[in-house]
Amino acid sequence: MEMEWKRADEAQADHASRVPPGQRLTAGFPVLHHGEVPYYRDMGKWDLRLFGLVEDETVISYGDFMKLPMREFGNDIHCVTTWSKLDNRWDGVPVAVIMEKVKLKPEAKFVMLHAEEGWTTNLPLEDFLRETSFLAVRHNGELLTPDHGYPVRMVVPHLYFWKSAKWLRGIEFLAADKPGFWERNGYHMYGDPWKSERYDFD
């Protein structure tokens, strides 16, 4: 019995060390978004556009995207609305695979993610290129639901989860940083959960 308590205490301590300030754990997967949820009836109309400061713009069809090499990722996610969800398992395309499709111009330093409904969010190129960043198609063994970004969502787990754009449709490479939708509406330009970078005054 004492060993069971010890293991429980150790697990609790491990969880606590993985939760940023001001966050609370959830076992669920809350749904938060702006605008309507897109429902795709014809996947032939979905594609992913890679554009901006690239030598040649590239468009990847849904069929070609699903043929790209995928792997499993594990991470914790932290929402700016104060919930955290630990031990997520995803399947998706590593950013490195996507970057094989384009050649960046040297002045490219930032990325703007474009999603359905005109939704956008920004991040530095180096954060986009991290080995932990990927384009997800499954969460915990199941295809993403429409509420959670089907067919493809960006996942950037080291930043607040609004940076992990749902319903991804475009990746634009930029020379200078500029705010996306939520950043224009008061959210932090970077969004590090360990620094509580929630709003533009943080």
Side-chain angles (χ1 to χ4, degrees):
M1 199 61 155
E2 184 178 344
M3 285 297 293
E4 291 179 5
W5 287 339
K6 185 176 181 181
R7 283 195 295 270
D9 288 344
E10 289 173 348
Q12 189 172 6
D14 173 62
H15 285 179
S17 70
R18 292 159 59 187
V19 178
Q23 298 291 111
R24 54 181 174 76
L25 288 179
T26 180
F29 198 169
V31 175
L32 300 163
H33 58 261
H34 172 78
E36 300 295 322
V37 175
Y39 290 87
Y40 299 90
R41 292 175 177 81
D42 179 4
M43 296 312 297
K45 295 180 179 178
W46 185 94
D47 54 32
L48 181 67
R49 182 181 171 212
L50 312 177
F51 66 108
L53 293 174
V54 296
E55 295 296 335
D56 294 292
E57 181 177 319
T58 298
V59 178
I60 306 172
S61 70
Y62 180 72
D64 287 342
F65 183 88
M66 294 303 289
K67 293 175 186 175
L68 294 175
M70 298 192 189
R71 69 177 181 86
E72 186 175 291
F73 293 82
N75 60 37
D76 302 333
I77 54 180
H78 311 291
C79 181
V80 70
T81 60
T82 74
W83 60 263
S84 291
K85 183 174 176 63
L86 305 184
D87 299 318
N88 298 274
R89 184 166 53 88
W90 308 83
D91 294 288
V93 177
V95 166
V97 171
I98 295 297
M99 295 306 296
E100 292 173 1
K101 303 293 183 183
V102 291
K103 182 178 180 182
L104 292 184
K105 293 183 177 180
E107 58 266 35
K109 302 297 180 187
F110 294 89
V111 167
M112 184 70 75
L113 302 175
H114 293 261
E116 297 288 3
E117 300 291 324
W119 193 88
T120 54
T121 192
N122 62 306
L123 64 160
L125 178 63
E126 62 183 347
D127 292 84
F128 176 73
L129 295 177
R130 281 200 190 192
E131 291 184 5
T132 52
S133 300
F134 58 96
L135 284 69
V137 298
R138 292 183 183 85
H139 179 260
N140 289 347
E142 302 289 336
L143 279 176
L144 295 174
T145 63
D147 280 345
H148 288 296
Y150 176 84
V152 177
R153 87 173 294 161
M154 188 72 212
V155 178
V156 186
H158 67 283
L159 300 179
Y160 278 123
F161 208 43
W162 91 80
K163 296 290 186 177
S164 295
K166 295 190 280 190
W167 316 304
L168 190 65
R169 293 300 304 273
I171 301 169
E172 181 184 9
F173 298 93
L174 305 167
D177 199 10
K178 65 179 183 179
F181 174 84
W182 286 114
E183 295 80 16
R184 292 194 304 272
N185 286 278
Y187 278 32
H188 199 278
M189 284 290 283
Y190 185 64
D192 184 342
W194 293 97
K195 296 180 180 178
S196 296
E197 291 177 342
R198 301 175 190 275
Y199 307 110
D200 59 7
F201 50 78
D202 288 330

